[in-house]
Amino acid sequence: MNKAFRDALFHQDMAFYEEIKGHSDEEKALRFNVYRNNVYVSLIDALADIFPITQTLVGEDFFRAMAREYLQQNLPKSPIIREYGGTFADFIRAFEPSQSVAFLGDIADLEYKLLTLTHAQEFTPLTHEEVSAAFNHTTDPAKLLIRLSPNTQIMLSCYAIGSIYLAHKQPSEQSLTQLDINNSEYLLLSKSFIYAEMHVISEAEASFVQRLMQDKTLEAAIPDDDTFDTGASLAKLIQWQLITHVSEAAT
C-alpha cells in the first residue's frame, strides 16, 4: 500500500489529499472520509467474525470501540483478512477499559489459535484398528513411540476459558452461571479434518500429551500421578483422531 495513502487512511495525514479531486480541502476530506470509514468498518467487521465470543462477552458497542483502537495502532500486514488480529489478544490484555474482564485476552487468544488451526495443513490420523494392530504387534508396548498430529497444541489459562468457550458454543450443555471462571484450565487444541477442535483436559493429560510430542516413549510419557488413566487417555487421542504414527523406539 502506498505509504502516503496508508498514512492518510489510518493517521489523518492530509498529505495524500492533493491526489484527490475536489474544489477544496473540505470536499476532499469528505470524499476520503467515506472511503476511510468503509475500510475501518470492514476491518472491525473482520475482527468481529474472528472473535465472536470475545465480542459477545463485552457487547458489540464495546468490542467495536476496542477494535477501532486496535486497528489504529496495528495496521494490516497482509491482504488476507483472516490473518489480521494476530496481536489482538495481547492488545486486549493491555487495554485499560477491558481490565474488568480479566480473562478476555485469553478468550481472544483461544479464538485466534482455533482459526489458525482451521486453516492449517491436515494430517491423516491412524484408525482405531491401526493403533490396536501396532500395540498387538509389539512385545513391549511401553517402548512404543506415539506420534501426534503436528497441529496438536496445549494451552494453559489461569481462567476457565475452555468452559466459557464451550458454554457459548453449546449453551444447552453448560451454563455460564455454573462456572468458576477463576479455575485454571488446560486445553488441547487440534485439527480434525476440516475444523479446529478444543478439549478441556486435566494437568496430567496435558503433561502426557506434551511428553508424547517430545518423542518420549509411552512409558516415559506417563505422568507420576495416581489418578492418571493411560488407557482412557489413549482412547481420547484415538477418538480425537490425533495419532498419526506408532512405532517401536530404537534400541
Side-chain angles (χ1 to χ4, degrees):
M1 184 184 295
N2 179 280
K3 185 178 184 301
F5 177 72
R6 183 184 63 185
D7 289 344
L9 190 61
F10 292 103
H11 300 300
Q12 307 293 328
D13 189 328
M14 297 180 63
F16 187 77
Y17 282 16
E18 63 185 34
E19 303 293 333
I20 303 173
K21 293 182 179 180
H23 297 294
S24 65
D25 286 343
E26 289 76 12
E27 182 181 346
K28 293 178 180 180
L30 181 63
R31 291 184 175 184
F32 194 72
N33 281 338
V34 171
Y35 184 80
R36 176 190 286 122
N37 187 62
N38 288 339
V39 172
Y40 269 62
V41 169
S42 295
L43 289 173
I44 292 172
D45 286 345
L47 289 174
D49 289 340
I50 294 169
F51 303 98
I53 294 177
T54 303
Q55 175 173 263
T56 298
L57 288 168
V58 296
E60 182 177 353
D61 290 344
F62 183 94
F63 180 88
R64 296 186 75 85
M66 179 171 63
R68 179 173 285 269
E69 289 291 325
Y70 171 75
L71 69 89
Q72 288 178 334
Q73 302 174 34
N74 300 269
L75 305 183
K77 297 181 179 179
S78 168
I80 303 174
I81 200 66
R82 65 175 171 79
E83 295 181 355
Y84 188 53
T87 58
F88 193 45
D90 289 335
F91 172 84
I92 292 174
R93 293 184 181 110
F95 188 56
E96 185 67 29
S98 70
Q99 298 307 298
S100 60
V101 189
F103 56 87
L104 192 66
D106 285 9
I107 286 286
D109 193 11
L110 172 59
E111 291 196 278
Y112 196 80
K113 280 182 167 65
L114 290 173
L115 174 69
T116 302
L117 274 176
T118 294
H119 293 282
Q121 179 183 348
E122 296 180 18
F123 296 88
T124 304
L126 297 182
T127 65
H128 185 281
E129 291 73 20
E130 289 171 325
V131 175
S132 296
F135 272 79
N136 292 333
H137 285 83
T138 183
T139 57
D140 188 359
K143 302 303 180 185
L144 287 176
L145 292 172
I146 301 173
R147 291 190 170 87
L148 306 182
S149 166
N151 288 328
T152 307
Q153 300 178 23
I154 296 294
M155 180 178 179
L156 169 62
S157 173
C158 295
Y159 305 99
I161 63 167
S163 296
I164 294 171
Y165 180 89
L166 292 175
H168 281 86
K169 287 291 186 179
Q170 306 162 359
S172 62
E173 296 186 14
Q174 188 170 24
S175 170
L176 281 172
T177 59
Q178 300 172 331
L179 294 178
D180 183 350
I181 292 173
N182 292 310
N183 275 345
S184 62
E185 286 186 342
Y186 286 87
L187 311 178
L188 188 151
L189 313 183
S190 62
K191 181 178 182 180
S192 179
F193 295 108
I194 299 175
Y195 299 107
E197 295 183 351
M198 187 273 310
H199 306 279
V200 180
I201 60 176
S202 68
E203 181 178 0
E205 289 173 325
S207 176
F208 179 61
V209 169
Q210 287 174 322
R211 292 176 183 180
L212 291 179
M213 293 169 64
Q214 294 167 357
D215 289 333
K216 294 185 181 297
T217 63
L218 178 59
E219 181 179 43
I222 296 174
D224 185 15
D225 186 329
D226 293 338
T227 65
F228 181 74
D229 187 329
T230 304
S233 296
L234 285 173
K236 288 180 181 179
L237 297 181
I238 295 171
Q239 178 186 348
W240 296 337
Q241 300 180 318
L242 297 183
I243 299 176
T244 58
H245 190 68
V246 179
S247 62
E248 294 188 8
T251 56

